[in-house]
Amino acid sequence: MSNVTYVRYELLRTLRNRRFFIFSLAFPLVMFFLVGGSNSGTVMPLAGISFTEYYMVSMAGWGAMMSVLAGGARISTERQAGWIRQLRVTPLTTSGYFRSKVVTSYVMALLSMVLLYSAGIALGVRLPLGNWAQMSGLILVGLVPFAALGVVMGHLLSPDSMGPALGGIASLFAFLGGSWFPLDGWLKSFGEWLPSYWLVQAGRTTILGGSWSPQGWLVVAAWAAVMTVLAGWAYRRDGKRVT
């Protein structure tokens, strides 16, 4: 199986998944309209931007994070069905396997972001084109650790435990990253060492005319490196168990 064929298969399978549309697309969109839309025109305390702007970028980051983490659920299901064992005897390389998972996750994340951006525009959010591009670029970079984390979870957890674990981990990262409300005090100090915090800051700082601080780049890079190493270990460990 070629890399292109496998990526196309992954995309089609994901687009037919109802759970993906509910948790990665529909739920963040509903949350945005309920919270951001109902407080339109007011300034979010501690954030320096409006409620609508803050919740647009928060839900875009959260929906994108859920999209890439959901790749782990697909891996877990494939493991249980024996599909990964079959892939190991095909010409598909390990790097091609990981690449297909990441590409699929990122396409879904982009879809979630576009929906939230469109909803934000519908409620009056106006940004220069360059700001939209910068915000999107930072979010996509900030998703790297979560894409790798999804692979780790997919190779370590069963399909039955994957759902609760996925929801719990995504919610915890969202809470500690400030997706629900701006952080202050010790929560903010702790959250700054999580990649989910910088997903939110990707939008907030862009709207205010800035970018990530050096700490943001360091945190995302460190988490990405650790999660990538763990993803490789989990994949190899899983391979030893089926050979």
Side-chain angles (χ1 to χ4, degrees), residues 3 50 67 73 125 131 133-134 170 175 180 185 223:
N3 293 339
S50 70
S67 296
V125 176
N131 287 40
Q134 177 182 319
F175 172 74
W180 312 127
W223 275 82

Side-chain angles (χ1 to χ4, degrees), residues 127-136 206:
L127 297 174
L129 182 60
N131 287 40
W132 289 108
Q134 177 182 319
M135 177 169 59
S136 301
T206 297

Side-chain angles (χ1 to χ4, degrees), residues 191-214:
E192 288 176 348
W193 295 101
L194 299 176
S196 54
Y197 176 85
W198 297 102
L199 284 179
V200 177
Q201 296 306 304
R204 177 180 173 274
T205 56
T206 297
I207 291 173
L208 294 175
S211 184
W212 282 347
S213 68

Side-chain angles (χ1 to χ4, degrees), residues 65 68-69 72 101-102 105-106 143-152 231:
M65 179 176 66
V68 296
L69 284 174
K101 296 299 183 185
V102 173
S105 296
Y106 265 74
L143 290 176
V144 174
F146 297 105
L149 176 58
V151 174
V152 174

Side-chain angles (χ1 to χ4, degrees), residues 22-87:
I22 293 174
F23 292 104
S24 299
L25 300 181
F27 193 51
L29 196 61
V30 171
M31 285 291 295
F32 168 70
F33 278 116
L34 287 177
V35 181
S38 61
N39 292 280
S40 179
T42 59
V43 175
M44 172 67 95
L46 302 177
I49 58 178
S50 70
F51 266 88
T52 304
E53 291 171 330
Y54 188 88
Y55 269 89
M56 181 192 73
V57 298
S58 295
M59 293 300 100
W62 184 49
M65 179 176 66
M66 286 290 293
S67 296
V68 296
L69 284 174
R74 295 189 294 273
I75 292 174
S76 183
T77 303
E78 290 175 354
R79 287 174 56 243
Q80 186 180 61
W83 177 239
I84 292 180
R85 185 184 298 111
Q86 297 299 318
L87 288 176

